[in-house]
Amino acid sequence: QPDPEAGDGSLKTGIYRTIGAAVKDGGGVIVLLPDVYEESLLLEAGEKIVGLSAAREMLEGDAGDDLPSVAGDGNATILGVSFHTVTLLGEAELVGVTVQQRGPGSWFAVACAGGTASVKKCNIDGATSSCVGITAEGAEPTFVDCQIHGSFTGAGVCAFDGAKATLEKCEIYNNKFSGVEISGVNTDVTLKECVVHSNRRDGVLVTDGARSTLEGCHLRRNYHCGLEVRDKATATATGNTLESNDFGV
């Protein structure tokens, strides 16, 4: 809402109409009110973007009293229509938001191009390429307690070119290709306690010399293999459950 004391329709200090404006003004912790934000973002200076409900959970006692009161707290969606929706570099963080990618072209909803970004409790809902792209050596993101689903033309998560990543307690499902695709020498992805299901190819595909570790995952109802390892790739699997795939391993 505009600042009633300003008289010119301007906003109070620290309140912005777009996420991009908040990032440009120095970033830090950016709390999103429930809305759809049609933007493409580059986060490279340690910015932390947090949904309102997640912000309340993060703060203890009276610390959250300064947050605005919104009935039900709603959902904040970041929607990209002409490029990757959110590109993460450095130590950027996303917590408790929905990220979607739509429109022409072939783009990721979340692109991890470098650094140790963190994505927690997010709903990564569809993209014109894979939902998540981990795209280069030096990228080592962590995804925790996320839903990753609905790629129109690609995988739920693809990692390549020497990237590394950890996926923990994520649900990855209903993607056009495999749930997780890991390819290329020195590419290394660890999955812990993830549920990977109902993807139209493999649950997890490891190929072209890549490596993967799977611990306590549930791979089910994928249209090809629960886990496929080929072309000089390696996988270490411990305590996993594979069921109702066309092929197990």
Side-chain angles (χ1 to χ4, degrees):
Q1 296 293 326
D3 184 350
E5 297 180 2
D8 60 359
S10 61
L11 301 178
K12 291 181 179 180
T13 301
I15 300 177
Y16 304 88
R17 289 189 171 88
T18 68
I19 307 169
V23 170
K24 186 177 180 180
D25 200 32
V29 178
I30 301 168
V31 178
L32 302 186
L33 292 178
D35 207 341
V36 177
Y37 300 84
E38 190 174 312
E39 305 183 48
S40 292
L41 303 173
L42 171 62
L43 307 181
E44 56 182 342
E47 299 91 347
K48 185 172 186 175
I49 294 181
V50 186
L52 183 58
S53 295
R56 293 193 191 284
E57 292 177 5
M58 291 164 56
L59 297 172
E60 298 180 358
D62 297 331
D65 287 349
D66 289 338
L67 293 173
S69 178
V70 178
D73 279 358
N75 183 55
T77 298
I78 309 171
L79 171 64
V81 296
S82 60
F83 194 63
H84 308 312
T85 304
V86 181
T87 300
L88 301 174
L89 296 166
E91 298 179 353
E93 295 184 54
L94 288 176
V95 184
V97 299
T98 294
V99 184
Q100 298 177 328
Q101 202 289 319
R102 303 289 190 269
S106 182
W107 310 106
F108 303 126
V110 176
C112 301
T116 55
S118 173
V119 182
K120 299 178 181 177
K121 296 184 177 180
C122 288
N123 178 20
I124 303 172
D125 176 14
T128 54
S129 181
S130 296
C131 293
V132 174
I134 307 165
T135 63
E137 186 175 0
E140 298 185 20
T142 300
F143 291 76
V144 178
D145 197 17
C146 293
Q147 292 184 315
I148 303 171
H149 60 100
S151 168
F152 304 114
T153 64
V157 178
C158 66
F160 51 91
D161 286 352
K164 296 176 172 57
T166 299
L167 309 173
E168 184 173 351
K169 296 181 179 178
C170 293
E171 183 181 10
I172 305 166
Y173 62 98
N174 286 352
N175 295 288
K176 180 69 172 180
F177 290 172
S178 298
V180 181
E181 296 187 358
I182 307 159
S183 63
V185 175
N186 295 325
T187 305
D188 194 343
V189 176
T190 296
L191 292 88
K192 299 179 180 180
E193 298 181 48
C194 292
V195 179
V196 186
H197 69 92
S198 307
N199 299 286
R200 297 190 68 84
R201 290 193 180 176
D202 297 317
V204 177
L205 169 64
V206 192
T207 186
D208 295 332
R211 299 186 300 271
S212 184
T213 300
L214 295 88
E215 300 174 357
C217 295
H218 193 173
L219 313 179
R220 59 181 170 83
R221 295 189 180 279
N222 297 288
Y223 281 44
H224 193 232
C225 298
L227 171 64
E228 181 176 1
V229 184
R230 56 179 169 83
D231 299 329
K232 300 183 179 179
T234 58
T236 302
T238 306
N240 303 284
T241 300
L242 287 78
E243 63 178 359
S244 302
N245 305 286
D246 281 0
F247 302 94
V249 178

